[in-house]
Amino acid sequence: PQDEDAVVRGLSVLCNVADQLYYPCEHVAWAADAGIVPTSLSKWWEASTRLWGLSLLLGILRSLRILCRLRKKLRQQKCTSSSQDRKKMKAQVKSEVLSIVSNMADLANAIHWLPPGFLWAGQFPPWLVGLLGTISSLIGIYQASRESNSGAA
């Protein structure tokens, strides 16, 4: 879109690259786990988890950039924009905030699954891992339902 700046586009591209590298690593790790491919599965799982974390971090940075731009637009257009435009921008702000919370919950879990010695890797109790995953999933379900409802209107 014309509204996106170079930073948002760059972060989007880097996020896509991390995602595209993540998928084959995860598949090789799974295949090694299943005994289909004779390779060191721990290295592949670690690589896929690092790429997952990188993708999440880039997604957080992208959402923060979009959020800052939206808030700036809202302040600039306080008097000049229609209530419909302001409502749309506020909905977009809400969506970006939810994306940040979801990505942060997933990032916390991604770091937990890395080998011990990196930040809090391996330190979360099972209930916290489950809670973070549940928060992320519920946000994803909520956002998907909002998108499907707005598409039907």
Side-chain angles (χ1 to χ4, degrees):
Q2 294 168 334
D3 272 357
E4 282 189 12
D5 65 346
V7 174
V8 172
R9 283 192 303 271
L11 288 169
S12 295
V13 168
L14 290 173
C15 189
N16 285 334
V17 168
D19 287 342
Q20 294 308 312
L21 292 172
Y22 161 80
Y23 295 118
C25 287
E26 185 190 39
H27 283 80
V28 170
W30 176 87
D33 235 0
I36 298 169
V37 176
T39 185
S40 170
L41 65 106
S42 64
K43 289 181 182 179
W44 286 101
W45 279 122
E46 183 180 342
S48 67
T49 304
R50 287 183 186 276
L51 288 165
W52 177 38
L54 177 62
S55 174
L56 292 166
L57 183 60
L58 291 166
I60 291 167
L61 293 173
R62 181 184 178 278
S63 288
L64 285 171
R65 174 69 178 196
I66 292 170
L67 193 58
C68 288
R69 290 182 49 125
L70 283 170
R71 295 186 87 194
K72 186 177 177 181
K73 272 187 193 176
L74 279 168
R75 272 186 258 124
Q76 288 173 346
Q77 298 177 348
K78 198 167 200 156
C79 301
T80 60
S81 65
S82 70
S83 64
Q84 186 69 14
D85 288 343
R86 291 184 56 74
K87 198 180 238 185
K88 261 187 194 176
M89 281 195 261
K90 285 185 178 186
Q92 201 175 355
V93 165
K94 181 179 177 181
S95 176
E96 292 302 331
V97 168
L98 287 172
S99 290
I100 290 168
V101 172
S102 176
N103 283 345
M104 287 178 76
D106 283 338
L107 181 60
N109 266 342
I111 291 170
H112 166 76
W113 291 110
L114 287 171
F118 182 75
L119 297 175
W120 56 83
Q123 300 295 313
F124 286 172
W127 68 266
L128 184 54
V129 172
L131 177 64
L132 291 170
T134 300
I135 289 168
S136 175
S137 295
L138 289 174
I139 290 171
I141 291 167
Y142 172 77
Q143 287 180 315
S145 72
R146 297 287 297 167
E147 286 175 13
S148 68
N149 288 343
S150 68

